[in-house]
Amino acid sequence: MTSSQKPKIIVTRRLPDTVHERLSDLFEARLRPDDRPFNKQELIEAVQQADVLVPTLTDNIDKDIIEAAGPHLKLIANFGAGTDHIDRKAAHDKGILITNTPDVLTQDAADFVLALILAVPRRLVEADKLVRTGGFSGWTPTGILGQRVRGKKLGIVGMGRIGQAVARRAHAFGLGVHYHNRRPLSAPIESELGARYWDDLDAMLGTVDMVSINCPYTPQTHHLFDADRLAKMQSHGILINVSRGEIIDEAALAEALANKKIAGAGLDVYENEPKVNSGLLELPNVILTPHIASATLESRIEMGEKVMINIRAFVDGHRCPDRVLPPE
Ligand code: DGY
């Protein structure tokens, strides 16, 4: 492919109309007017035909798929920030570059974490349900009592872009910010966020009132929150996860919530999406949302722009701004 030829782009899911229009202007783009995810055979056909594949987190781009790729496939320009659904090592070994769409969804995702940080302790969904089902018979001094947010301690697990954006908001809401990360932040950023670093995750869990999971999903973070770790949380503790479901052992969480070992949870992501542990579905003390933390029209359009910038840079022989490095 020379830079004067339009590269053949195959997009696996339906994207917003404005993104479709731009993709069609710039590239020979095969788009999805319907929104059914590709099955494995369709993914294999796509990697055999495309110069660039634009998948999303619902496509499991495993070693088989990478190995089946045709000689023209040189770039996987993921529509999304997380790339745990792509076998990065297999892609690297086959000389296929991966890019993603960081930054543009950070603020929306952080807003959503704050929405859950407020909604779970104040029992917002339970309260809404009570009104809709005719259970509201007037103000009562003891009805739907929640936990005060201001003055509580939030422990952020993973202090990357989204973690830091959560910290800024939490600080403004009067929460004490604590965090666990592979490395501490620089002293100026720590002091701007008023954040305290904990090298020992378990020690942090024993002192904070709420926990927000904001680290990526990797083999090291698989079931980071298992039964033992959940037991380190305080019994009035609340767990929020908008990162990836596999970081929590969902069955252990359902058990901890059912037996009031922790007080509540707000989950936007699930271990076996789109399936949700049936135990969780029964519980009033968990808010469940359908992986929408970054779902604003603005972020989806900007994610599409990032995909196009990465493809354009690649085709023109420039360094792609959002390269995802192979695992160490
Ligand atoms: C991502 O980008 O990885 C989010 O989970 C979905 O927008």
Side-chain angles (χ1 to χ4, degrees):
M1 182 183 59
T2 65
S3 62
S4 59
Q5 280 177 301
K6 284 190 173 184
K8 183 166 181 182
I9 314 293
I10 299 186
V11 181
T12 65
R13 299 295 299 267
R14 185 159 73 84
L15 305 180
D17 291 346
T18 45
V19 178
H20 277 191
E21 282 158 24
R22 287 286 292 149
L23 279 167
S24 304
D25 285 348
L26 291 170
F27 311 114
E28 185 194 326
R30 199 202 293 164
L31 306 170
R32 299 295 306 274
D34 60 340
D35 194 28
R36 181 184 55 78
F38 278 153
N39 60 34
K40 188 158 186 173
Q41 186 50 38
E42 288 168 314
L43 275 177
I44 288 178
E45 283 164 22
V47 292
Q48 286 172 343
Q49 294 162 15
D51 296 318
V52 179
L53 183 74
V54 180
T56 73
L57 64 94
T58 55
D59 302 303
N60 180 19
I61 315 284
D62 59 16
K63 200 167 183 231
D64 294 348
I65 290 179
I66 300 277
E67 281 177 356
H72 301 293
L73 187 80
K74 289 283 171 250
L75 174 64
I76 297 177
N78 188 54
F79 182 89
T83 53
D84 48 279
H85 56 292
I86 303 173
D87 188 326
R88 289 186 290 147
K89 180 171 178 333
H92 179 72
D93 291 348
K94 208 173 152 91
I96 299 171
L97 195 74
I98 300 172
T99 59
N100 68 344
T101 62
D103 297 323
V104 291
L105 40 75
T106 300
Q107 304 306 327
D108 294 327
D111 285 345
F112 201 82
V113 173
L114 257 289
L116 291 174
I117 283 177
L118 297 175
V120 176
R122 297 303 306 273
R123 304 171 62 185
L124 209 65
V125 172
E126 263 185 89
D128 174 274
K129 193 167 167 198
L130 181 93
V131 174
R132 286 174 199 275
T133 53
F136 179 44
S137 50
W139 185 83
T140 124
T142 53
I144 306 274
L145 294 182
Q147 291 188 43
R148 178 180 290 165
V149 172
R150 191 170 191 84
K152 295 285 160 53
K153 292 180 189 160
L154 171 68
I156 299 175
V157 181
M159 205 53 149
R161 295 178 179 88
I162 297 177
Q164 290 182 40
V166 169
R168 284 202 173 81
R169 286 159 174 74
H171 193 52
F173 271 88
L175 283 154
V177 177
H178 299 247
Y179 73 102
H180 170 76
N181 202 33
R182 275 184 302 178
R183 279 178 290 276
L185 298 171
S186 69
I189 298 187
E190 243 186 23
S191 91
E192 182 208 330
L193 300 174
R196 169 169 173 199
Y197 177 66
W198 292 78
D199 183 39
D200 181 345
L201 173 59
D202 290 339
M204 180 179 88
L205 295 180
T207 178
V208 297
D209 308 290
M210 288 186 230
V211 177
S212 172
I213 299 179
N214 295 108
C215 58
Y217 176 56
T218 64
Q220 293 72 39
T221 61
H222 180 79
H223 283 191
L224 183 65
F225 282 78
D226 58 7
D228 288 346
R229 184 135 289 127
L230 290 166
K232 302 282 190 308
M233 289 177 62
Q234 308 208 61
S235 57
H236 66 273
I238 286 171
L239 182 62
I240 308 291
N241 186 14
V242 307
S243 177
R244 286 292 183 265
E246 295 93 330
I247 297 172
I248 298 179
D249 176 343
E250 215 166 85
L253 176 63
E255 197 273 328
L257 287 164
N259 294 313
K260 305 273 172 12
K261 292 180 186 159
I262 68 169
L267 305 177
D268 187 47
V269 287
Y270 305 92
E271 197 173 342
N272 298 300
E273 277 182 32
K275 289 200 199 100
V276 178
N277 179 291
S278 56
L280 290 174
L281 295 171
E282 310 292 315
L283 296 171
N285 52 346
V286 53
I287 293 182
L288 305 168
T289 53
H291 204 148
I292 53 165
S294 69
T296 65
L297 179 59
E298 292 89 339
S299 96
R300 296 292 185 251
I301 290 173
E302 289 170 17
M303 287 162 74
E305 279 297 319
K306 277 219 161 233
V307 165
M308 289 182 268
I309 289 167
N310 281 304
I311 300 176
R312 196 68 262 175
F314 182 78
V315 171
D316 291 345
H318 299 298
R319 196 183 165 79
C320 297
D322 304 306
R323 284 170 48 149
V324 176
L325 298 176
E328 283 160 16

